[in-house]
C-alpha cells in the first residue's frame, strides 16, 4: 500500500523579519512512517524542515510553510492509497 504521512509544524512569514511558528516536533509522523515501512508499505513522508525524521529509510520531501505542505500534498496525495495527517 502507498501511504502519505505528514509531520512537523509550519513557519508562516508575517513580514521579512517575523514568522508565526508551530512547534510540532514531527515525532508522531516519523513513528508512523517507521511502523508503515516495517509493515512493508511504500511511505512518502512530507515533513517540516526541522521535524524529527524516521529511523527507517522512506521517500521524503520537506516543507516550511502551510502553502508548501499544500503543494506537496496536492502533488502526491492522488498517488497514495491512504493519507495520515497526525
Amino acid at each position: 500500500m502507498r501511504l502519505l504521512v505528514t509531520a512537523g509544524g509550519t513557519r508562516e512569514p508575517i513580514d521579512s523579519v517575523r514568522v508565526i511558528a508551530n512547534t510540532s516536533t514531527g515525532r508522531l509522523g516519523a513513528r508512523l512512517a517507521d511502523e508503515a515501512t516495517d509493515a512493508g508499505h511504500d511511505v512518502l513522508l512530507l515533513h517540516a524542515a526541522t521535524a524529527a525524521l524516521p529511523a527507517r529509510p522512506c521517500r521524503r520531501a520537506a516543507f516550511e510553510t502551510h502553502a508548501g505542505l499544500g503543494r506537496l500534498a496536492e502533488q502526491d496525495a492522488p498517488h497514495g492509497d491512504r493519507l495520515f495527517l497526525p
Side-chain angles (χ1 to χ4, degrees):
M1 184 180 301
R2 294 167 303 185
L3 303 174
L4 176 66
V5 179
T6 66
T10 59
R11 297 174 46 87
E12 303 300 326
I14 298 172
D15 56 32
S16 63
V17 177
R18 299 173 295 166
V19 298
I20 296 175
N22 173 329
T23 60
S24 174
T25 64
R27 287 187 306 227
L28 178 58
R31 182 68 188 262
L32 284 170
D34 280 338
E35 293 297 321
T37 299
D38 285 348
H41 300 293
D42 176 20
V43 177
L44 171 59
L45 177 66
L46 304 182
H47 63 88
T50 59
L53 297 176
R56 315 288 187 279
C58 69
R59 294 179 300 125
R60 301 187 325 226
F63 62 84
E64 284 201 31
T65 64
H66 181 262
L69 172 58
R71 280 191 298 278
L72 290 171
E74 285 177 3
Q75 172 183 318
D76 293 302
H79 306 292
D81 298 315
R82 296 285 185 269
L83 173 65
F84 291 99
L85 304 169

